Amino acid sequence: MSTITAPAEQKIVGEVPKQLYIGGEWRDGAKGTLSVEDPSTGEPLCEVADASTDDAKAALTAAVEAGPEWAAHPPRERGEILRRSFEALIARADDLALLMTLEMGKPLAESKAEIAYAAEFFRWFSEESVRIDGRYSVNSNGQGRVLTMKQPVGPCLLITPWNFPMAMGTRKIGPAIAAGCTTVVKPAQQTPLSMLMLVKILEGAGLPAGVVNLVTASSSSKTMAPLIADSRLRKLSFTGSTEVGRKLMEQASHNLLRLSMELGGNAPFIVFDDADIDAAVQGALIAKMRNIGEACTAANRFHVADKVADQFAEKLAEKMGAMKVGRGTEEGVQVGPLIDNGQRTKVAELVEDALGRGAKAVVGGHARVGAGYFFDPTVLTDIPDDANLLQEEIFGPVAPVKGFADEDEAIAAANNTEYGLVAYVFTNNLKRALRVIERLETGMVGLNQGMVSNAGAPFGGIKQSGFGREGGYEGMEEYLETKYVAVNL
Ligand code: NAP
């Protein structure tokens, strides 16, 4: 039974194409359908196509067949299609935000911010499509010339997670289209609706058949493994957990596929005693509570100078405790449900583990009783070194605050993780900021700000947060090969 009651909700869910998109045609999945649910109630929203392995193969075939024409397609026209799609996304932002909130749970304002962020990747890469160049240089011995040209990588498989249902798609699809690559896209089964609407928008913007093919499936491993093993595929770009990323790398090693791996995070948020504490608390709220804490960039551990740790924890607890929890469509809600019961149980276990080892809850600490997968915003202090949440990605609205004595201790604690996606540093001392940032083992740093996401910047991690960059000039390089020509003059 559907929980959608408001006409606007019914309308937007009704508008979503529910089929697979292969070779420019919408068609049913051979395995029937899979259910998409509303995490604020646990009730189904609708059914979408469930692809078989043959469907997935057909999607790759369509991408392979469209490849040569798309690679030769005028770059300006590739860019214009992205530009028109950017404009359509912005024009439909309210409806698309509602759809995203229904399937993923985040508050409407945050969904709208994600639509704008997602659209920015199309705008950025619409501009980059006409800036693909090579070089021409004289050999060092003066004889002969070096010529390089950039060419599209070829058919790409793009696999995305549920936490940013649209932006994780546009930051792969945008550069792929701009570079002249064709694609098979596989969104997370929990949140396929945003991506289905995105593909409908691309189709409406004039994207030729076969350039983007969309497969939704209840069994990712069964449908994706044959594609990864297929020698016609040239690249796999994956955003998701480190655990799945490792498996996919193993599979991809057979064909030595080009890879981009945007994996898990365990971001340290470091506050020095010379920082503006109110600004740090404001930054912490964004870094922790954006996306209900379900972001790879979410601050996972707050390392705060001993002198200001209590003050910081109290102020943060006051703000987090005052946040309104509820269905993301409701007025004033700032914290939606977690994606499913499994995720909520994992968050609860991490909190219980910390409390069991001696941590204290300044605010929150519990799952909410009733329908939906809600968890109260939680601030913990007195975190013991062996608490699991210092090592594991929490992916929920839980902020552990831990003191440090000096700069060396802060850096050592921050780097004490297998992950290396992002870190946040709050200090008013520029020399200290640069000194600390140089020693942090992460791909990104937010300096005196709690958010790093930006379509024009290279997003990505090191260590077990993966490799490759999305956004910025670097984002294009992921979809281009460099061919070197030795010219005999
Ligand atoms: P996940 O379980 O790794 O799933 C990600 C995607 O991979 C989904 O589409 C999933 O499909 C698919 N998948 C799972 N197992 C697969 C397999 N064996 N073969 C092929 N595909 C498979 O991650 P998630 O729980 O959706 O997302 C949360 C994770 O993403 C967190 O760790 C977060 O840090 C990370 N993330 C990283 C970034 C970044 O840029 N670094 C950004 C956002 C999120 P199903 O839906 O069918 O399982």
Side-chain angles (χ1 to χ4, degrees), residues 226-430:
L227 298 200
I228 296 169
D230 192 313
S231 61
R232 297 174 300 166
L233 189 72
R234 290 286 180 274
K235 177 182 170 84
L236 166 63
S237 177
F238 172 74
T239 298
S241 60
T242 297
E243 188 190 350
V244 173
R246 276 193 206 106
K247 280 190 206 153
L248 297 183
M249 266 187 84
E250 275 176 32
Q251 293 174 27
S253 68
H254 180 69
N255 281 325
L256 291 171
L257 284 181
R258 267 191 74 170
L259 293 174
S260 300
M261 288 280 153
E262 299 285 349
L263 308 179
N266 178 5
F269 188 106
I270 310 170
V271 183
F272 288 98
D273 56 12
D274 57 25
D276 175 336
I277 298 301
D278 289 329
V281 169
Q282 218 39 52
L285 275 178
I286 296 168
K288 179 72 256 179
M289 296 306 288
R290 177 170 165 249
N291 227 43
I292 322 152
E294 295 172 315
C296 52
T297 50
N300 214 55
R301 305 164 283 145
F302 292 82
H303 299 288
V304 185
D306 284 335
K307 216 164 107 187
V308 292
D310 288 347
Q311 185 194 357
F312 176 87
E314 274 162 32
K315 288 189 173 196
L316 184 62
E318 193 186 320
K319 299 259 186 208
M320 280 178 54
M323 291 180 93
K324 186 173 172 191
V325 180
R327 190 173 193 243
T329 50
E330 283 165 22
E331 192 66 31
V333 163
Q334 295 160 295
V335 188
L338 296 176
I339 190 70
D340 57 24
N341 198 39
Q343 185 59 34
R344 185 170 63 168
T345 303
K346 194 193 143 203
V347 172
E349 282 170 2
L350 286 172
V351 169
E352 277 155 28
D353 167 76
L355 292 173
R357 293 174 198 267
K360 294 199 179 82
V362 187
V363 73
H366 305 285
R368 289 231 166 152
V369 183
Y373 311 118
F374 298 95
F375 197 94
D376 280 336
T378 298
V379 176
L380 304 176
T381 57
D382 298 350
I383 310 292
D385 287 336
D386 57 355
N388 291 337
L389 48 57
L390 293 179
Q391 294 302 327
E392 290 179 34
E393 201 175 22
I394 302 171
F395 245 53
V398 177
V401 180
K402 193 164 167 50
F404 65 78
D406 59 29
E407 208 173 288
D408 281 343
E409 191 184 321
I411 293 167
N415 288 339
N416 184 22
T417 169
E418 65 185 15
Y419 296 104
L421 189 61
V422 62
Y424 303 91
V425 177
F426 278 73
T427 172
N428 278 332
N429 178 335
L430 183 62

Side-chain angles (χ1 to χ4, degrees), residues 441-466:
E441 297 169 356
T442 59
M444 301 177 287
V445 176
L447 176 57
N448 292 324
Q449 63 180 54
M451 193 158 101
V452 293
S453 303
N454 172 354
F459 188 106
I462 61 172
K463 292 163 74 177
Q464 298 204 24
S465 291

